[in-house]
Amino acid sequence: MKYGKELLLKGIPVIFNKKGAEIAIGDGCTIKSSFLSNLVGLYSRTIIVTRRPGAYIRIGNNVGISGATIYARKGITIGDNTAIGGNVKILDNDFHPIELEERNNLLNDKNGGNSDLVPAKEIHIGRNCFIGCNSIILKGTFLGDGCVVGAGTVVAGEFAPNCVIVGNPAKVIRTLDTN
Ligand SMILES: CC(C)(COP(=O)(O)OP(=O)(O)OC[C@H]1O[C@@H](n2cnc3c(N)ncnc32)[C@H](O)[C@@H]1OP(=O)(O)O)[C@@H](O)C(=O)NCCC(=O)NCCS
């Protein structure tokens, strides 16, 4: 993996990069992984995983991450100055196929089965976003620059810049005035 200058680790993250995949972390990032490194209380270490050759996780400059899981089969981009709150999950795939037969085939195949059947779509999180604690960002999500995601929100879909998004299913409650 590649990481930039002044990476600050508070606690020990779990970072796993599959051969042929890419993890890149920009300058000035902070990754928190111990229980009280963020006083919201972290349930787990930060986990950053690429699961397939060709997958990527690209994290910009000055990004803060607290006990999040960032798990890519395809690709996840996080823009500069974005804050990822405590215990957030960013999952660009479903881990299991939706169809029962495919799911059972995969579960029962000792050789790992055809994991291409696991639904996966890239995630893009823009610059200057703020993701509230315990949110879940699902496959195919696109968050424009400056979006704020409320605590505990389940996000799927595409959102324009500067939206405040809350709830499950996530809804835009207002657009921030950036002037
Ligand atoms: C999203 C957030 C920034 C909005 O703050 P705000 O603009 O002051 O919004 P308000 O408190 O005025 O709430 C506006 C409406 O959204 C609802 N709402 C706010 N946050 C919500 C959330 N996380 N989930 C569901 N609904 C929420 C409120 O109930 C209110 O609904 P109403 O208009 O029907 O009464 C804030 O509620 C939030 O979730 N902050 C994140 C905190 C956090 O996780 N910090 C990081 C810790 S590591």
Side-chain angles (χ1 to χ4, degrees), residues 38 40 85-86 130 132-133 148 150-151 164 166-167 173-174:
N38 180 325
V40 78
F130 166 30
C133 61
V148 174
V164 180
V166 303
I173 53 168
R174 66 194 170 96

Side-chain angles (χ1 to χ4, degrees), residues 38-40 42 66 84-87 130-135 148-153 164-168 173-174 176:
N38 180 325
L39 290 176
V40 78
L42 304 186
S66 285
I84 313 279
N87 310 308
F130 166 30
I131 315 293
C133 61
N134 299 315
S135 295
V148 174
V149 173
T153 296
V164 180
I165 304 155
V166 303
N168 180 12
I173 53 168
R174 66 194 170 96
L176 296 164

Side-chain angles (χ1 to χ4, degrees), residues 11-94:
I12 301 170
V14 175
I15 299 179
F16 175 80
N17 192 22
K18 189 89 174 173
K19 192 172 179 188
E22 173 194 348
I23 296 177
I25 299 175
D27 294 335
C29 292
T30 299
I31 299 179
K32 298 182 178 179
S33 295
S34 60
F35 173 43
L36 291 178
S37 56
N38 180 325
L39 290 176
V40 78
L42 304 186
Y43 305 146
S44 92
R45 303 183 195 185
T46 289
I47 300 171
I48 299 175
V49 176
T50 52
R51 193 66 183 84
R52 304 274 292 162
Y56 62 87
I57 294 175
R58 297 179 188 136
I59 297 172
N61 300 322
N62 305 313
V63 172
I65 302 171
S66 285
T69 297
I70 303 171
Y71 188 114
R73 275 181 176 273
K74 284 226 156 156
I76 297 173
T77 309
I78 299 171
D80 296 344
N81 304 313
T82 280
I84 313 279
N87 310 308
V88 167
K89 307 285 178 200
I90 303 173
L91 314 173
D92 81 346
N93 70 96
D94 293 338

Side-chain angles (χ1 to χ4, degrees), residues 56 58 74-77 92 120-124 138-142:
Y56 62 87
R58 297 179 188 136
K74 284 226 156 156
I76 297 173
T77 309
D92 81 346
K121 287 185 207 158
E122 288 155 317
I123 290 176
H124 173 89
L138 294 168
K139 68 179 188 298
T141 294
F142 183 101

